Structure formats: structure tokens, C-alpha cells
Amino acid sequence: REWCVALPKVELHAHLNGSVRNSTLLELAKQLADKGIIVFEDVKDVIMKNGRSLPECFKLFDLFHILTTEHDTVTRIAKEVVEDFAAENVVYLEIRTTPKNNEAKGMTKRSYMDAVIKGLKAVEAVDVVLFDSNSRTNDTLACTPTIEFDGDTMKKRIYVRLLLSIDRRETTSAALDTVNLALELKDQGVIGIDLSGNPVVGEWETYLPALQHAKELGIPITIHCGEVANRKEIQAVLDFCPQRLGHVCCLNDAEWKKLKSLMIPVEICLTSNVMTGGAPSLELHHFADLYNAKHPLSLCTDDCGLFSTSLSNEYYLVAATFGLTKPELFHLAQEAVHFIFADENVKKSLKEVFKHAEKRFD
Ligand code: 5GP
């Protein structure tokens, strides 16, 4: 396990509000309970419960969103999430989050994202590199070719980028607003669009105009695909051919074949899929099939808070379940660099990180 913690890693599928520390959620719940807004004991039981079905997860997100609704709280959780990933040697992190309008709190999608970005900039424990080197001339860090990730003598460094999520409950117009916001914030670390939210809610046709708009703007897209067996949508998503896909659990043989021929990189979320029933067990998870087929993939956490996991733990589970050796795990982590949405300069820097680390991880 320590070896997996020390391994430099790339995280491509992490939802901000699903990655909040339990201790922070409990503290926030206590504050709301003191104001008489919620009953602490009820909320505590829900937060600390182990094992959740997919519908339970989405109910829980509604609760998390009540707890994290203030701008300052959004800033705090964004800061802590980066600190937590950096602490386990994640060297490149794409955090995805749904920009939210909340009139009662004076929150707009823009002000929500400003609060998230403020949190990333507030991290002090590690150096956070938030901008693409060609979008900010004053960002000297982003031009530095190598990263010291083990930080004996200097601070750890982590590249962080943001993906804006479209929630499946949103209207076409709200989804378009999110894509336009991504464009507006492209100099502030936002580099992609995600489609997520409860997979039994909404219609593909509702989000398609926004996804099409993002495609036309050249914004990379990742889509939650096949969390439930919605044949029509899985087909439409594969036809849309985004840059990456999340989950791909419930594909039939023909869809599986199509995915493999398209070679779309897959964000694999083992613990999440087993907990929510997308995969029958770790042993029977489709990771093995994709890995053996040499399909492009990357291990991810999805919601490390919600599912009580970490990226190191996901690597450990792969070793323990499928018997991957240390060099194979190292290679798996290294290969994820190819699927990041950040620019070539970042890829080059990360390749150097792994090259540098290789000697220590043989
Ligand atoms: P947020 O976008 O508020 O930072 O993170 C929580 C949101 O991410 C949830 O409300 C949901 O829309 C989305 N999300 C988190 N985990 C999952 C998942 O496993 N599947 C899907 N489809 N959406 C998820």
C-alpha cells in the first residue's frame, strides 16, 4: 500500500463534492445543525454509512450540496481536495465540478467557479500549477520542465485543471451556459466539459446542443457512459465520440466492440462501480478485459469521499485483484499522462516526472 501511495499518479475523474473529507462534512453539518437547519445525528449517520446504492449516492449529493452551499465553503473544499490528492503523490489532477446557480446565496455559475479557483490558489502545502503555459505569461511554474514530486528539499508540485460538469437535470440553456463559462475561464485552469449526474434522469437530446457547442469550440469532453443499461444513450455517446469516457459498465457485446475499435480512453472507477452495482465485483470488473485488450485507460477515484477510497487504494486494488506487478502498475500510472486534457507542455513535464521516478520504482 505504501508503494502505491509513493507512486506518482494522475487523477482524471474526481468530482469535487464527492471528494470532500468526512471530517469537513461533519463539521459543516454541525454548523448547520447549530443554526437549526438540519438534525446533526440524522446527517451524521448518512455521511458515515458504508456502502451506497446508485440512487442513494444521488440523494447524498443533494445533502452535500446543502452543506457546501456557501462560497467560502466551496473555496475550502476545493483547497482541501487538492491538498489530499497531493498528499498521496498525485502529480496531475483534473477536478470536475458542476457550476451552480443559487439565488438565495447570491451564487451564480461564475461566482461558484471563482470560489473553486480561489480554493485552488489558496493551497500552500504544495505548489499548485493551475494555468496552461501559453495562456499566462506570468506563470513561470508552468514553464518549468520538471517536477519534484517527492519533495525532500522542495515543495511538492501538482498540476491542477478543472472540468465543468453538466448535470443531467439541467436544461439545454443551462448546459450551454456551462460550456460558455468553460470558454470564459479557459485562462483560469478550466480545460474541459463533463456530462454527469443521475443516469436515470434526463435525455441525451437535452445536452447534445451544449456538447456539440463544446466540440465546435475545441473544448475536450468526457462523458459518463453506461452506468445503467440505457442502450439508446450508450449508442449516441459512442457515436458522439468524446475524448474520454467514464465508467462504461453496462455495454453489450456490440457496444463493447465499438468502444474498442474507437479506442476512446476510459476512466476506470473500480470501487465506485462495485459499490453502486455497475460491476458485479472487483474480480469481475471490466478493467481486466480492457487492460488485457490494451485499451487506453486510467485508474480514477470518482468520489473518494463518498466511496471512502483514494487513488493509491485503487492502484492497490488492481494489484491485489488482478495480480499486476509493480512495473505494470508504474506503467499504468505513466500511461495516463497520454489521456490528460492539458497541453503538450504539461504532458512533457509529466513524462519527465515519471522518467525521473522510474529508477526509484523498478
Ligand atoms: P459536484 O459537481 O457538485 O462538485 O460533484 C457532485 C456531482 O457530481 C453530483 O451531484 C453528480 O452530478 C456528479 N457525480 C458524482 N459522482 C457521480 C457518479 O458516479 N456518476 C454520475 N453520473 N455522476 C456523478
Side-chain angles (χ1 to χ4, degrees):
R1 274 177 200 267
E2 295 82 53
W3 190 91
C4 292
V5 174
L7 179 71
K9 293 171 289 292
V10 167
E11 169 64 89
L12 300 181
H13 188 136
H15 297 268
L16 178 61
N17 276 281
S19 307
V20 184
R21 297 172 188 164
N22 275 352
S23 58
T24 299
L25 286 173
L26 291 174
E27 194 187 315
L28 295 169
K30 185 92 188 35
Q31 286 167 12
L32 287 194
D34 289 346
K35 290 181 191 160
I37 299 171
I38 56 166
V39 178
F40 180 71
E41 285 307 319
D42 295 352
V43 172
K44 183 181 155 210
D45 289 346
V46 179
I47 292 172
M48 300 312 283
K49 184 178 175 233
N50 250 335
R52 313 170 194 284
S53 66
L54 198 60
E56 275 176 335
C57 285
F58 289 99
K59 273 198 206 136
L60 201 57
F61 280 126
D62 289 340
L63 169 66
F64 286 5
H65 290 145
I66 294 172
L67 299 180
T68 62
T69 183
E70 305 284 344
H71 286 102
D72 284 354
T73 309
V74 171
T75 298
R76 171 184 174 175
I77 62 170
K79 175 174 180 279
E80 290 180 354
V81 166
V82 172
E83 287 169 352
D84 291 349
F85 276 108
E88 54 156 350
N89 291 309
V90 169
V91 290
Y92 176 91
L93 167 64
E94 284 179 15
I95 307 180
R96 57 189 73 191
T97 192
T98 321
K100 296 162 184 76
N101 283 318
N102 186 339
E103 240 175 79
K105 299 285 170 190
M107 181 181 275
T108 61
K109 287 188 178 221
R110 172 69 202 236
S111 74
Y112 173 87
M113 284 314 302
D114 287 343
V116 172
I117 293 164
K118 192 172 163 194
L120 307 186
K121 289 180 177 168
V123 174
E124 284 175 358
V126 291
D127 280 331
V128 174
V129 186
L130 186 56
F131 309 111
D132 282 344
S133 48
N134 55 3
S135 65
R136 287 254 163 157
T137 47
N138 63 352
D139 181 28
T140 49
L141 282 179
C143 305
T144 313
T146 56
I147 303 172
E148 281 297 327
F149 69 90
D150 60 348
D152 283 344
T153 50
M154 58 189 281
K155 267 189 184 173
K156 280 187 195 174
R157 184 171 300 167
I158 180 169
Y159 283 90
V160 180
R161 295 293 184 272
L162 292 162
L163 310 183
L164 302 197
S165 300
I166 295 168
D167 186 322
R168 299 172 61 96
R169 288 177 293 194
E170 290 186 290
T171 60
T172 302
S173 141
L176 278 165
D177 287 347
T178 295
V179 173
N180 288 328
L181 183 60
L183 185 66
E184 205 176 304
L185 293 176
K186 81 175 190 343
D187 288 346
Q188 306 244 19
V190 174
I191 50 162
I193 287 291
D194 158 57
L195 175 66
S196 54
N198 193 339
V200 299
V201 171
E203 293 292 330
W204 172 251
E205 287 71 25
T206 311
Y207 337 112
L208 185 58
L211 296 172
Q212 204 68 53
H213 183 48
K215 201 180 227 183
E216 282 155 18
L217 290 169
I219 302 175
I221 300 165
T222 175
I223 296 181
H224 283 60
C225 174
E227 289 177 279
V228 292
N230 179 344
R231 300 267 78 84
K232 191 171 148 240
E233 185 172 289
I234 293 170
Q235 195 56 249
V237 170
L238 291 173
D239 287 343
F240 184 79
C241 203
Q243 277 76 5
R244 292 200 312 250
L245 290 171
H247 301 299
V248 297
C249 299
C250 305
L251 273 56
N252 67 21
D253 288 349
E255 290 152 359
W256 207 236
K257 218 169 137 195
K258 187 163 178 174
L259 168 73
K260 285 183 181 163
S261 73
L262 289 169
M263 291 292 274
I264 304 173
V266 175
E267 301 150 1
I268 293 278
C269 309
L270 289 169
T271 301
S272 160
N273 295 157
V274 173
M275 275 198 166
T276 58
S281 66
L282 275 178
E283 292 73 17
L284 295 175
H285 192 282
H286 48 285
F287 164 83
D289 185 23
L290 288 176
Y291 182 76
N292 290 332
K294 300 198 181 337
H295 190 88
L297 56 86
S298 158
L299 295 187
C300 306
T301 53
D302 199 11
D303 298 291
C304 55
L306 189 70
F307 299 123
S308 304
T309 188
S310 64
L311 192 53
S312 313
N313 186 50
E314 298 298 301
Y315 276 83
Y316 174 77
L317 290 177
V318 157
T321 313
F322 305 105
L324 265 71
T325 61
K326 284 179 178 173
E328 285 167 339
L329 287 182
F330 185 88
H331 187 67
L332 193 58
Q334 189 174 32
E335 282 296 288
V337 172
H338 295 294
F339 320 129
I340 70 170
F341 285 169
D343 69 11
E344 283 305 316
N345 286 335
V346 178
K347 276 191 189 161
K348 213 169 122 199
S349 296
L350 291 170
K351 282 179 190 166
E352 291 208 25
V353 172
F354 280 95
K355 209 169 111 195
H356 177 75
E358 201 161 12
K359 294 170 222 136
R360 299 172 55 229
F361 284 88
D362 292 348

